[in-house]
Amino acid sequence: MTAGAGAAPGGAIRLTHVAVRDVRNLAHVDLEPPPDGIAVIGENGHGKTNLLEAIYYLQILRSMRGAKDQDLVRFGEAGFHISAQLDTARGPREVRAGYDRATRRKRVRIDGADFPRLSDALGAVPSVVLAPADAVIVAGGPAERRRFLDIALALTSRRYLTALQGYRAALARRNAALRDAVRAGGMPDEDRIAVWEPALAEYGATILVERVAWTDRVSQEFTRLAAAIGERGEARLRYATRLEAGLGGRTTEVGGRRSEVEEQRSGSAGEADVRAALAEALAARRAHDVRRGLTHAGPHRDDMALTLDGRELRVFGSAGQQRTAAIVLRLLEADTLRACHEAAPLLLLDDPFAELDARRARRILELLGEAGMGQTIVAVPRAEDLPAALTSLERWRVVEGALSRVGTA
């Protein structure tokens, strides 16, 4: 597969140089990946996933595995530093990120300019990670699917990111006021709780509408890709909201008929109506929230419903079916990034086809190729684990955090 070879800006995001210093067990790594990418081969625990984590850090500015920044610093060192030079559809770019353990401060620079607000630097190195651990998106609880949606949309929509930040801040303050009311044990000061509800309704409406717009846009493609990979049943995706507010004479509920935001799509309600419905739900549940010390209405309680022949994949899907659905979600994430950046994102493959049969692995790579496969960095334990389509990649071996080039097949 040579989709990335000689790709000009506008075809694929390309790393031309990456430097990693003191991230986990990677003391000193310098790479100049070819246009197609590289294959990193090494036993578990030697650092191949750490390399992918370091590169992806420049995309989301935190660990893809949920680790704290101080836990990424190599033992005995004062901090870490990651830098990358890349070609994009808008020209060359240099991205640097560093963390100082003593001050617990993170610093990000793009093309020589500092970004004191880290949110302004999100998405600087467009990339998608595929790994067996992605199955948790499907098999885990609703929080895993909300996190997937939040990352995919925040990286490609400034409006969504702003709404998400505002919503989380207002939610934290309303929950704090609710906890204070629980501790007080008497009549709560409802004004201290209600004051945060307009912000929750405003930002929450934006989040709901954008989430539904995305799931609606990709739902048919989700079904098509799952079948193309080899899923026999009909896979479906839709947004499920817990909001129970009447809009246009309909009531919404998780797994119910149509959500109020779906009504918005059909033209019977606009974002203002969703905002009003959220405000009504927050007010209606205020007494319940006071008793529980927690906010129960809003998009932080929603889910993305994934089904196969009408049955929940989370509950009834096999491990293979859950893996397939998770891979399809990553393919859709890659499409979203491609549309935003007008170029194929980096593909970071962490032993992505483990426990998948060769036919499904081949079909996934074919689908990536059809969409315009970008520069690929694949990490596998053994050379024989490389799919046939990736065997021509330049090979590197990692042993105890040290990388050395071993040529090609």
Side-chain angles (χ1 to χ4, degrees), residues 151-190:
I151 290 176
L153 295 177
L155 290 173
T156 53
S157 168
R158 178 60 53 176
R159 180 173 182 265
Y160 187 90
L161 175 60
T162 300
L164 187 64
Q165 291 172 321
Y167 186 86
R168 287 176 172 173
L171 180 65
R173 287 167 173 79
R174 187 177 190 269
N175 282 342
L178 288 169
R179 289 192 295 272
D180 288 344
V182 170
R183 284 193 289 268
M187 291 295 293
D189 181 354
E190 288 206 10

Side-chain angles (χ1 to χ4, degrees), residues 13 56 59-60 90 119-128 147-164 210-211 213-215 217-218 329-345:
I13 303 294
Y56 194 66
Q59 163 86 325
I60 62 172
R90 298 172 179 85
S119 61
D120 292 337
L122 284 173
V125 180
S127 46
V128 174
R147 181 176 183 270
F148 169 82
L149 280 171
D150 286 341
I151 290 176
L153 295 177
L155 290 173
T156 53
S157 168
R158 178 60 53 176
R159 180 173 182 265
Y160 187 90
L161 175 60
T162 300
L164 187 64
E210 290 228 4
R211 283 181 181 175
W214 186 84
T215 53
R217 189 166 60 248
V218 305
L329 289 175
R330 290 302 189 197
L331 296 179
L332 295 173
E333 180 185 4
D335 284 343
T336 304
L337 286 168
R338 182 184 292 106
C340 177
H341 296 280
E342 301 175 344

Side-chain angles (χ1 to χ4, degrees), residues 26 59-60 83 109 113 165 179 185 203 216 261 285 295 337:
L26 304 178
Q59 163 86 325
I60 62 172
S83 67
R109 292 173 65 87
Q165 291 172 321
R179 289 192 295 272
Y203 294 128
D216 183 54
V261 190
R285 294 192 176 189
T295 301
L337 286 168

